Amino acid sequence: MYGSLSNFDVINDTGEECHGFEIELDDIDSTDVAYSFGGTRYGNPVVTTDSSSGTKRTSVRWQSPPDGAGGFLLRTSVPAGAVADTGGHACFAGAIANYDTSGCEHFGTGFYNKNPTATRYFWLVRDPAAPSELMRSTSRVRVPPVVVALAPPAAPGVPPVVQAAVVQPEQEDPEVIGGFPGCAFFGEASWVKVFITETDHHVELDQLLTDSDEVPQSETETEIEWFLSQSVPTCAEDGSPLANLDGSENEWLLEN
């Protein structure tokens, strides 16, 4: 698998012909799914949620329709040999000449302000006990490990010590105004660099890949602006509410 959950290529390494692909997401509802890539041979996926196990699990499932004779119309073949790193966005029609026999597909899905607590990936294969049905392959999709690049040690002959860690930012309580717990001053300001490239017509998600003909390639067609992003006070200094402000989510974007 090359890429990330929102945009990735995956190789059929099951050793058998596949007829679809599934992503299973924990603690995500189908209504949390903002988009899914539909530019593959399998088209748009079916998104469903099951809470019967006590954990909310959502399935994003791309699959072939039946062929009317107990089989399936579409298939992802087993690649003839090793597949080189695709860069995460090469396994779809128009991107590679041998897509039909390449043994790889492009998928992806994203969410509205929420992330799954666990993600699992499955190829879909014909069920031997019910040949007209699909089941998850027992061969799990291999996700590449994290690669850590090491700089040369400061002292020759002394190997560097590496410890991968995710540091959670410290959460500071907002400074309240006038002793009112629901009132706070301006939040920490951050400069945000925004790149905007526009087209003169509507395009679908699967047309927004960087090498698509629908994406303007000229640098002169991309606008670059800096904005200041900062939470605003939730109320006035005397504790009275400020007009037209929602203190829980409000932000100011000030153009430089």
Side-chain angles (χ1 to χ4, degrees), residues 42-98:
Y42 300 108
N44 293 317
V46 175
V47 182
T48 57
T49 299
D50 180 13
S51 301
S52 60
S53 66
T55 299
K56 184 179 292 185
R57 287 191 173 131
T58 288
S59 165
V60 182
R61 186 178 175 107
W62 293 262
Q63 67 180 57
S64 168
D67 62 4
F72 299 92
L73 285 174
L74 307 172
R75 59 190 51 81
T76 302
S77 61
V78 177
V83 179
D85 188 338
T86 65
H89 56 88
C91 295
F92 55 93
I96 51 175
N98 64 332

Side-chain angles (χ1 to χ4, degrees), residues 12 14-19 72 74-78 124-126:
N12 176 10
T14 64
E16 61 181 311
E17 204 172 64
C18 297
H19 302 282
F72 299 92
L74 307 172
R75 59 190 51 81
T76 302
S77 61
V78 177
L124 300 178
V125 299
R126 185 179 296 206

Side-chain angles (χ1 to χ4, degrees), residues 189-220:
S190 299
W191 284 106
V192 180
K193 191 175 185 179
V194 180
F195 298 82
I196 301 175
T197 303
E198 298 181 356
T199 64
D200 58 3
H201 59 281
H202 176 76
V203 294
E204 300 296 336
L205 171 67
D206 54 359
Q207 296 174 301
L208 296 180
L209 299 172
T210 55
D211 51 2
S212 168
D213 293 337
E214 296 291 345
V215 178
Q217 301 299 321
S218 173
E219 295 183 1
T220 60

Side-chain angles (χ1 to χ4, degrees), residues 150-155 158 160:
L150 301 180
V158 179

